[in-house]
Amino acid sequence: MVSGDPCAELESIKSVSDVIAPLDGTVVEVNEDIVATPERVNEDPYAAWLVKVRLHDPSSFRQLLDADAYRALLGA
């Protein structure tokens, strides 16, 4: 998985959207429960993870926003 590249797709009734990889890494697990029941993403997006990734550079996660920083960015 390469940062900036699509690593999954989320499909709704009207469209299909790419999920963009935020960091470089190797997918080590896929959440098969979400594959079987994708509506769970809308019910609880934090519990409905898509993939588990082993980062190529473990310190790279520091460049990501946490929930509070994301809300601040949006002005929420």
Side-chain angles (χ1 to χ4, degrees):
M1 177 170 107
V2 177
S3 176
D5 285 354
C7 63
E9 291 181 339
L10 292 178
E11 185 174 336
S12 71
I13 293 171
K14 295 183 179 182
S15 68
V16 176
S17 299
D18 287 332
V19 175
I20 304 301
L23 302 170
D24 296 340
T26 302
V27 174
V28 294
E29 188 176 349
V30 173
N31 186 350
E32 296 299 337
D33 291 337
I34 290 299
V35 174
T37 55
E39 63 275 6
R40 289 187 55 220
V41 170
N42 294 327
E43 295 165 3
D44 188 357
Y46 287 103
W49 57 274
L50 302 176
V51 295
K52 292 185 180 181
V53 176
R54 180 174 297 116
L55 297 176
H56 293 163
D57 175 6
S59 68
S60 65
F61 79 92
R62 291 187 183 108
Q63 71 190 27
L64 300 177
L65 301 176
D66 63 16
D68 290 334
Y70 184 67
R71 283 186 202 99
L73 179 71
L74 296 176

